[in-house]
PDB file of all heavy atoms in Angstrom:
ATOM      1  N   TYR A 283     -31.903  74.552 -10.341  1.00  0.00           N
ATOM      2  CA  TYR A 283     -32.564  75.820 -10.024  1.00  0.00           C
ATOM      3  C   TYR A 283     -32.852  75.919  -8.524  1.00  0.00           C
ATOM      4  O   TYR A 283     -32.648  76.974  -7.903  1.00  0.00           O
ATOM      5  CB  TYR A 283     -33.893  75.940 -10.773  1.00  0.00           C
ATOM      6  CG  TYR A 283     -33.819  75.987 -12.267  1.00  0.00           C
ATOM      7  CD1 TYR A 283     -34.905  75.555 -13.036  1.00  0.00           C
ATOM      8  CD2 TYR A 283     -32.705  76.467 -12.940  1.00  0.00           C
ATOM      9  CE1 TYR A 283     -34.878  75.609 -14.428  1.00  0.00           C
ATOM     10  CE2 TYR A 283     -32.660  76.515 -14.324  1.00  0.00           C
ATOM     11  CZ  TYR A 283     -33.755  76.083 -15.065  1.00  0.00           C
ATOM     12  OH  TYR A 283     -33.731  76.135 -16.426  1.00  0.00           O
ATOM     13  N   ILE A 284     -33.357  74.836  -7.968  1.00  0.00           N
ATOM     14  CA  ILE A 284     -33.710  74.845  -6.542  1.00  0.00           C
ATOM     15  C   ILE A 284     -32.466  75.061  -5.690  1.00  0.00           C
ATOM     16  O   ILE A 284     -32.487  75.814  -4.708  1.00  0.00           O
ATOM     17  CB  ILE A 284     -34.414  73.532  -6.149  1.00  0.00           C
ATOM     18  CG1 ILE A 284     -35.630  73.281  -7.054  1.00  0.00           C
ATOM     19  CG2 ILE A 284     -34.836  73.574  -4.689  1.00  0.00           C
ATOM     20  CD1 ILE A 284     -36.614  74.431  -7.131  1.00  0.00           C
ATOM     21  N   ASP A 285     -31.380  74.421  -6.069  1.00  0.00           N
ATOM     22  CA  ASP A 285     -30.115  74.629  -5.366  1.00  0.00           C
ATOM     23  C   ASP A 285     -29.706  76.098  -5.419  1.00  0.00           C
ATOM     24  O   ASP A 285     -29.244  76.667  -4.425  1.00  0.00           O
ATOM     25  CB  ASP A 285     -29.034  73.754  -5.999  1.00  0.00           C
ATOM     26  CG  ASP A 285     -27.653  74.002  -5.422  1.00  0.00           C
ATOM     27  OD1 ASP A 285     -27.411  73.605  -4.269  1.00  0.00           O
ATOM     28  OD2 ASP A 285     -26.811  74.594  -6.137  1.00  0.00           O
ATOM     29  N   ALA A 286     -29.902  76.728  -6.580  1.00  0.00           N
ATOM     30  CA  ALA A 286     -29.465  78.115  -6.769  1.00  0.00           C
ATOM     31  C   ALA A 286     -30.260  79.100  -5.934  1.00  0.00           C
ATOM     32  O   ALA A 286     -29.718  80.123  -5.496  1.00  0.00           O
ATOM     33  CB  ALA A 286     -29.564  78.488  -8.248  1.00  0.00           C
ATOM     34  N   VAL A 287     -31.549  78.821  -5.704  1.00  0.00           N
ATOM     35  CA  VAL A 287     -32.393  79.793  -5.002  1.00  0.00           C
ATOM     36  C   VAL A 287     -32.709  79.420  -3.558  1.00  0.00           C
ATOM     37  O   VAL A 287     -33.162  80.265  -2.779  1.00  0.00           O
ATOM     38  CB  VAL A 287     -33.726  80.027  -5.751  1.00  0.00           C
ATOM     39  CG1 VAL A 287     -33.483  80.659  -7.100  1.00  0.00           C
ATOM     40  CG2 VAL A 287     -34.534  78.734  -5.891  1.00  0.00           C
ATOM     41  N   VAL A 288     -32.475  78.164  -3.196  1.00  0.00           N
ATOM     42  CA  VAL A 288     -32.806  77.718  -1.839  1.00  0.00           C
ATOM     43  C   VAL A 288     -31.562  77.416  -1.023  1.00  0.00           C
ATOM     44  O   VAL A 288     -31.428  77.866   0.121  1.00  0.00           O
ATOM     45  CB  VAL A 288     -33.731  76.471  -1.888  1.00  0.00           C
ATOM     46  CG1 VAL A 288     -33.952  75.916  -0.474  1.00  0.00           C
ATOM     47  CG2 VAL A 288     -35.065  76.813  -2.535  1.00  0.00           C
ATOM     48  N   THR A 289     -30.639  76.652  -1.591  1.00  0.00           N
ATOM     49  CA  THR A 289     -29.460  76.208  -0.842  1.00  0.00           C
ATOM     50  C   THR A 289     -28.318  77.212  -0.909  1.00  0.00           C
ATOM     51  O   THR A 289     -27.695  77.527   0.103  1.00  0.00           O
ATOM     52  CB  THR A 289     -28.967  74.846  -1.375  1.00  0.00           C
ATOM     53  OG1 THR A 289     -30.058  73.919  -1.369  1.00  0.00           O
ATOM     54  CG2 THR A 289     -27.839  74.312  -0.516  1.00  0.00           C
ATOM     55  N   LYS A 290     -28.042  77.729  -2.105  1.00  0.00           N
ATOM     56  CA  LYS A 290     -26.944  78.679  -2.260  1.00  0.00           C
ATOM     57  C   LYS A 290     -27.294  80.022  -1.625  1.00  0.00           C
ATOM     58  O   LYS A 290     -28.450  80.455  -1.646  1.00  0.00           O
ATOM     59  CB  LYS A 290     -26.623  78.888  -3.739  1.00  0.00           C
ATOM     60  CG  LYS A 290     -26.050  77.647  -4.426  1.00  0.00           C
ATOM     61  CD  LYS A 290     -24.657  77.309  -3.930  1.00  0.00           C
ATOM     62  CE  LYS A 290     -23.991  76.211  -4.758  1.00  0.00           C
ATOM     63  NZ  LYS A 290     -24.623  74.890  -4.590  1.00  0.00           N
ATOM     64  N   GLY A 291     -26.268  80.668  -1.090  1.00  0.00           N
ATOM     65  CA  GLY A 291     -26.467  81.958  -0.448  1.00  0.00           C
ATOM     66  C   GLY A 291     -25.677  83.060  -1.109  1.00  0.00           C
ATOM     67  O   GLY A 291     -25.445  83.038  -2.328  1.00  0.00           O
ATOM     68  N   LYS A 292     -25.213  84.024  -0.321  1.00  0.00           N
ATOM     69  CA  LYS A 292     -24.530  85.196  -0.857  1.00  0.00           C
ATOM     70  C   LYS A 292     -23.243  84.845  -1.602  1.00  0.00           C
ATOM     71  O   LYS A 292     -22.798  85.610  -2.462  1.00  0.00           O
ATOM     72  CB  LYS A 292     -24.224  86.184   0.272  1.00  0.00           C
ATOM     73  CG  LYS A 292     -25.463  86.772   0.937  1.00  0.00           C
ATOM     74  CD  LYS A 292     -25.099  87.719   2.071  1.00  0.00           C
ATOM     75  CE  LYS A 292     -26.347  88.252   2.759  1.00  0.00           C
ATOM     76  NZ  LYS A 292     -26.026  89.155   3.899  1.00  0.00           N
ATOM     77  N   GLU A 293     -22.672  83.701  -1.285  1.00  0.00           N
ATOM     78  CA  GLU A 293     -21.447  83.292  -1.972  1.00  0.00           C
ATOM     79  C   GLU A 293     -21.674  83.030  -3.458  1.00  0.00           C
ATOM     80  O   GLU A 293     -20.731  83.007  -4.241  1.00  0.00           O
ATOM     81  CB  GLU A 293     -20.860  82.035  -1.309  1.00  0.00           C
ATOM     82  CG  GLU A 293     -21.556  80.720  -1.654  1.00  0.00           C
ATOM     83  CD  GLU A 293     -22.884  80.493  -0.939  1.00  0.00           C
ATOM     84  OE1 GLU A 293     -23.214  81.322  -0.073  1.00  0.00           O
ATOM     85  OE2 GLU A 293     -23.566  79.499  -1.248  1.00  0.00           O
ATOM     86  N   SER A 294     -22.949  82.861  -3.846  1.00  0.00           N
ATOM     87  CA  SER A 294     -23.264  82.579  -5.252  1.00  0.00           C
ATOM     88  C   SER A 294     -23.654  83.832  -6.031  1.00  0.00           C
ATOM     89  O   SER A 294     -23.945  83.749  -7.227  1.00  0.00           O
ATOM     90  CB  SER A 294     -24.407  81.569  -5.336  1.00  0.00           C
ATOM     91  OG  SER A 294     -25.646  82.147  -4.943  1.00  0.00           O
ATOM     92  N   HIS A 295     -23.631  84.977  -5.397  1.00  0.00           N
ATOM     93  CA  HIS A 295     -24.038  86.219  -6.052  1.00  0.00           C
ATOM     94  C   HIS A 295     -23.136  86.519  -7.248  1.00  0.00           C
ATOM     95  O   HIS A 295     -21.910  86.554  -7.123  1.00  0.00           O
ATOM     96  CB  HIS A 295     -23.968  87.376  -5.054  1.00  0.00           C
ATOM     97  CG  HIS A 295     -24.496  88.677  -5.582  1.00  0.00           C
ATOM     98  ND1 HIS A 295     -25.753  88.826  -6.108  1.00  0.00           N
ATOM     99  CD2 HIS A 295     -23.925  89.925  -5.645  1.00  0.00           C
ATOM    100  CE1 HIS A 295     -25.946  90.072  -6.475  1.00  0.00           C
ATOM    101  NE2 HIS A 295     -24.848  90.751  -6.207  1.00  0.00           N
ATOM    102  N   GLY A 296     -23.743  86.677  -8.411  1.00  0.00           N
ATOM    103  CA  GLY A 296     -22.986  86.970  -9.616  1.00  0.00           C
ATOM    104  C   GLY A 296     -22.289  85.766 -10.221  1.00  0.00           C
ATOM    105  O   GLY A 296     -21.464  85.926 -11.121  1.00  0.00           O
ATOM    106  N   CYS A 297     -22.639  84.571  -9.762  1.00  0.00           N
ATOM    107  CA  CYS A 297     -21.916  83.371 -10.189  1.00  0.00           C
ATOM    108  C   CYS A 297     -22.657  82.571 -11.249  1.00  0.00           C
ATOM    109  O   CYS A 297     -23.879  82.635 -11.372  1.00  0.00           O
ATOM    110  CB  CYS A 297     -21.654  82.464  -8.984  1.00  0.00           C
ATOM    111  SG  CYS A 297     -20.427  83.126  -7.839  1.00  0.00           S
ATOM    112  N   PHE A 298     -21.871  81.795 -11.978  1.00  0.00           N
ATOM    113  CA  PHE A 298     -22.359  80.799 -12.915  1.00  0.00           C
ATOM    114  C   PHE A 298     -22.266  79.455 -12.201  1.00  0.00           C
ATOM    115  O   PHE A 298     -21.176  79.001 -11.848  1.00  0.00           O
ATOM    116  CB  PHE A 298     -21.500  80.823 -14.182  1.00  0.00           C
ATOM    117  CG  PHE A 298     -21.759  79.710 -15.159  1.00  0.00           C
ATOM    118  CD1 PHE A 298     -23.051  79.300 -15.459  1.00  0.00           C
ATOM    119  CD2 PHE A 298     -20.692  79.070 -15.788  1.00  0.00           C
ATOM    120  CE1 PHE A 298     -23.285  78.274 -16.360  1.00  0.00           C
ATOM    121  CE2 PHE A 298     -20.911  78.050 -16.704  1.00  0.00           C
ATOM    122  CZ  PHE A 298     -22.212  77.648 -16.986  1.00  0.00           C
ATOM    123  N   LEU A 299     -23.407  78.831 -11.971  1.00  0.00           N
ATOM    124  CA  LEU A 299     -23.465  77.563 -11.254  1.00  0.00           C
ATOM    125  C   LEU A 299     -23.631  76.423 -12.260  1.00  0.00           C
ATOM    126  O   LEU A 299     -24.574  76.415 -13.053  1.00  0.00           O
ATOM    127  CB  LEU A 299     -24.627  77.551 -10.265  1.00  0.00           C
ATOM    128  CG  LEU A 299     -24.643  78.692  -9.237  1.00  0.00           C
ATOM    129  CD1 LEU A 299     -25.924  78.653  -8.416  1.00  0.00           C
ATOM    130  CD2 LEU A 299     -23.422  78.600  -8.323  1.00  0.00           C
ATOM    131  N   MET A 300     -22.725  75.480 -12.205  1.00  0.00           N
ATOM    132  CA  MET A 300     -22.775  74.324 -13.090  1.00  0.00           C
ATOM    133  C   MET A 300     -22.543  73.075 -12.257  1.00  0.00           C
ATOM    134  O   MET A 300     -21.613  73.031 -11.440  1.00  0.00           O
ATOM    135  CB  MET A 300     -21.713  74.438 -14.183  1.00  0.00           C
ATOM    136  CG  MET A 300     -21.884  73.454 -15.327  1.00  0.00           C
ATOM    137  SD  MET A 300     -20.673  73.736 -16.649  1.00  0.00           S
ATOM    138  CE  MET A 300     -19.278  72.797 -16.053  1.00  0.00           C
ATOM    139  N   SER A 301     -23.407  72.084 -12.406  1.00  0.00           N
ATOM    140  CA  SER A 301     -23.321  70.870 -11.599  1.00  0.00           C
ATOM    141  C   SER A 301     -23.326  71.201 -10.111  1.00  0.00           C
ATOM    142  O   SER A 301     -22.546  70.639  -9.330  1.00  0.00           O
ATOM    143  CB  SER A 301     -22.074  70.042 -11.974  1.00  0.00           C
ATOM    144  OG  SER A 301     -22.170  69.583 -13.305  1.00  0.00           O
ATOM    145  N   TRP A 302     -24.179  72.153  -9.748  1.00  0.00           N
ATOM    146  CA  TRP A 302     -24.427  72.524  -8.361  1.00  0.00           C
ATOM    147  C   TRP A 302     -23.213  73.171  -7.692  1.00  0.00           C
ATOM    148  O   TRP A 302     -23.151  73.272  -6.480  1.00  0.00           O
ATOM    149  CB  TRP A 302     -24.895  71.305  -7.546  1.00  0.00           C
ATOM    150  CG  TRP A 302     -26.115  70.662  -8.118  1.00  0.00           C
ATOM    151  CD1 TRP A 302     -27.412  71.014  -7.879  1.00  0.00           C
ATOM    152  CD2 TRP A 302     -26.165  69.575  -9.050  1.00  0.00           C
ATOM    153  NE1 TRP A 302     -28.272  70.208  -8.603  1.00  0.00           N
ATOM    154  CE2 TRP A 302     -27.532  69.319  -9.331  1.00  0.00           C
ATOM    155  CE3 TRP A 302     -25.193  68.798  -9.673  1.00  0.00           C
ATOM    156  CZ2 TRP A 302     -27.940  68.322 -10.209  1.00  0.00           C
ATOM    157  CZ3 TRP A 302     -25.592  67.796 -10.551  1.00  0.00           C
ATOM    158  CH2 TRP A 302     -26.956  67.568 -10.806  1.00  0.00           C
ATOM    159  N   LYS A 303     -22.245  73.624  -8.487  1.00  0.00           N
ATOM    160  CA  LYS A 303     -21.056  74.275  -7.947  1.00  0.00           C
ATOM    161  C   LYS A 303     -20.779  75.571  -8.691  1.00  0.00           C
ATOM    162  O   LYS A 303     -21.163  75.732  -9.847  1.00  0.00           O
ATOM    163  CB  LYS A 303     -19.833  73.354  -8.062  1.00  0.00           C
ATOM    164  CG  LYS A 303     -19.926  72.062  -7.270  1.00  0.00           C
ATOM    165  CD  LYS A 303     -18.683  71.207  -7.484  1.00  0.00           C
ATOM    166  CE  LYS A 303     -18.773  69.906  -6.713  1.00  0.00           C
ATOM    167  NZ  LYS A 303     -17.571  69.046  -6.938  1.00  0.00           N
ATOM    168  N   VAL A 304     -20.069  76.491  -8.037  1.00  0.00           N
ATOM    169  CA  VAL A 304     -19.630  77.721  -8.694  1.00  0.00           C
ATOM    170  C   VAL A 304     -18.567  77.356  -9.720  1.00  0.00           C
ATOM    171  O   VAL A 304     -17.592  76.659  -9.417  1.00  0.00           O
ATOM    172  CB  VAL A 304     -19.066  78.723  -7.666  1.00  0.00           C
ATOM    173  CG1 VAL A 304     -18.493  79.946  -8.377  1.00  0.00           C
ATOM    174  CG2 VAL A 304     -20.151  79.144  -6.680  1.00  0.00           C
ATOM    175  N   HIS A 305     -18.776  77.830 -10.948  1.00  0.00           N
ATOM    176  CA  HIS A 305     -17.890  77.468 -12.057  1.00  0.00           C
ATOM    177  C   HIS A 305     -17.387  78.745 -12.722  1.00  0.00           C
ATOM    178  O   HIS A 305     -18.083  79.769 -12.734  1.00  0.00           O
ATOM    179  CB  HIS A 305     -18.659  76.618 -13.079  1.00  0.00           C
ATOM    180  CG  HIS A 305     -17.794  75.947 -14.097  1.00  0.00           C
ATOM    181  ND1 HIS A 305     -17.366  76.590 -15.257  1.00  0.00           N
ATOM    182  CD2 HIS A 305     -17.265  74.693 -14.144  1.00  0.00           C
ATOM    183  CE1 HIS A 305     -16.617  75.758 -15.959  1.00  0.00           C
ATOM    184  NE2 HIS A 305     -16.537  74.601 -15.312  1.00  0.00           N
TER     185      HIS A 305
END
Side-chain angles (χ1 to χ4, degrees):
Y283 296 154
I284 305 307
D285 174 72
V287 295
V288 174
T289 307
K290 293 291 189 291
K292 296 179 182 178
E293 77 283 354
S294 71
H295 186 55
C297 289
F298 171 42
L299 304 174
M300 193 175 85
S301 296
W302 303 274
K303 297 178 181 179
V304 175
H305 193 276

